[in-house]
Amino acid sequence: MEQKKFNPIIEAVVSIRQYVLSVSENWTSMKSLGAVLKDDMDKATGMVNMYGSESTKQQWASELIDFNASKSHLEKIMQFVITRIKEKSTEGISGRWNDYPEHVSKMEASYKKMMDLGGSSLPENKKGEWDELWNRIMRSHVFMGREATAIGIQLGLMENCTPNEIDELSDTILKHIPSGYSTEEAHKYTDEYMEAYEQLKKEASQKKTLWDKFLDILAGGTQQTPAQHVMMQRWVDGEKGDAH
């Protein structure tokens, strides 16, 4: 199968809009994603309890304890940070947010063990259903990771920009970037997104200090694809190079 070629500029512009939309929607999708994830994990537990051996059930129950502990830590951190964002306060945020990646890693390790555990022990005629269920679970995890990335970007903005500057950035981004913002849709309309990129560059050149701060934060995003990260870093370096 031919691998789809993505334009890193378009991916980056799409990401910028997604970050801003996540902020403007007050993270309401995080709760709904969490509910979907819980429902699917309950279904996975049900399948193991129905079809797994006693040994499999015991291993699953043990791993589920670790998974739920990591999930609980993440939910507490997220709730604390979101509350602070709504209050427009950075007090105590950095310390709590720095713990976030560790718990994500633990949760992902649990995902892998649990997925493999069921996949290796369930009846052959249930493995298709199991794989489909875990595809949904991992999609929910990826979507929640994007929300978390947006939260990290917002924290960086709060620590480095004034509320008025944040509003100005958000308004500019939402004004210029087309509303059909999924990566798949964006690549169908390359001209529109390249135009949006050039418009944002023009705005950035007029208010370099503000946009330099913003692009620095984006370039440091830990959950970007390599292509997005390279593009962002080049944009940052290019903008700063023009300033000297």
Side-chain angles (χ1 to χ4, degrees):
M1 183 188 302
E2 183 180 356
Q3 189 174 10
K4 186 181 292 186
K5 294 181 180 179
F6 289 113
N7 183 328
I9 291 177
I10 292 177
E11 291 191 5
V13 173
V14 170
S15 294
I16 292 172
R17 184 179 173 89
Q18 286 175 327
Y19 296 147
V20 173
L21 283 173
S22 293
V23 174
S24 66
E25 291 168 359
N26 294 318
W27 322 106
T28 53
S29 61
M30 186 71 80
K31 288 185 179 180
S32 61
L33 287 168
V36 171
L37 177 60
K38 181 182 183 304
D39 184 57
D40 282 338
M41 288 299 295
D42 288 345
K43 289 177 182 176
T45 298
M47 288 185 70
V48 169
N49 288 337
M50 181 172 292
Y51 301 108
S53 66
E54 285 304 314
S55 174
T56 297
K57 292 176 187 178
Q58 290 175 7
Q59 292 178 66
W60 180 272
S62 176
E63 198 58 49
L64 190 59
I65 290 173
D66 291 341
F67 171 83
N68 284 331
S70 298
K71 182 171 176 286
S72 178
H73 282 302
L74 287 173
E75 287 172 347
K76 289 176 182 176
I77 292 171
M78 196 68 67
Q79 188 56 54
F80 175 82
V81 170
I82 289 173
T83 298
R84 282 288 190 266
I85 287 175
K86 289 179 179 178
E87 294 171 349
K88 297 189 176 181
S89 168
T90 59
E91 182 180 355
I93 280 184
S94 293
R96 294 295 295 274
W97 191 249
N98 288 341
D99 292 335
Y100 188 87
E102 176 187 352
H103 295 299
V104 170
S105 294
K106 289 180 179 178
M107 179 179 277
E108 290 175 343
S110 292
Y111 279 137
K112 179 69 168 60
K113 292 177 185 177
M114 296 167 86
M115 180 173 59
D116 291 346
L117 185 62
S120 63
S121 61
L122 295 183
E124 196 65 33
N125 65 347
K126 291 295 174 183
K127 289 188 177 180
E129 182 181 347
W130 182 257
D131 290 343
E132 183 180 342
L133 178 61
W134 276 92
N135 283 336
R136 289 203 308 269
I137 288 171
M138 297 315 297
R139 279 199 300 271
S140 293
H141 178 70
V142 168
F143 290 146
M144 293 180 76
R146 290 175 183 171
E147 293 282 341
T149 299
I151 289 175
I153 296 298
Q154 181 69 350
L155 295 183
L157 290 173
M158 287 174 62
E159 291 176 341
N160 292 278
C161 303
T162 67
N164 286 341
E165 286 176 328
I166 294 173
D167 289 343
E168 181 181 335
L169 284 167
S170 299
D171 290 345
T172 299
I173 289 164
L174 294 176
K175 176 178 69 176
H176 286 311
I177 300 180
S179 58
Y181 64 93
S182 75
T183 302
E184 291 75 16
E185 290 171 327
H187 282 278
K188 294 179 183 178
Y189 305 105
T190 301
D191 291 344
E192 279 187 63
Y193 276 79
M194 291 304 293
E195 181 181 351
Y197 169 73
E198 294 301 330
Q199 289 171 333
L200 289 176
K201 288 275 286 182
K202 182 178 179 181
E203 296 264 358
S205 69
Q206 293 169 352
K207 297 190 176 180
K208 295 188 64 61
T209 301
L210 174 58
W211 278 81
D212 276 348
K213 288 190 287 187
F214 178 53
L215 294 171
D216 271 332
I217 293 166
L218 289 179
T222 58
Q223 297 183 37
Q224 292 175 3
T225 66
Q228 287 172 303
H229 187 86
V230 168
M231 181 268 158
M232 285 295 179
Q233 195 61 58
R234 285 178 178 171
W235 193 354
V236 171
D237 293 343
E239 289 297 331
K240 289 181 177 176
D242 292 343
H244 297 300

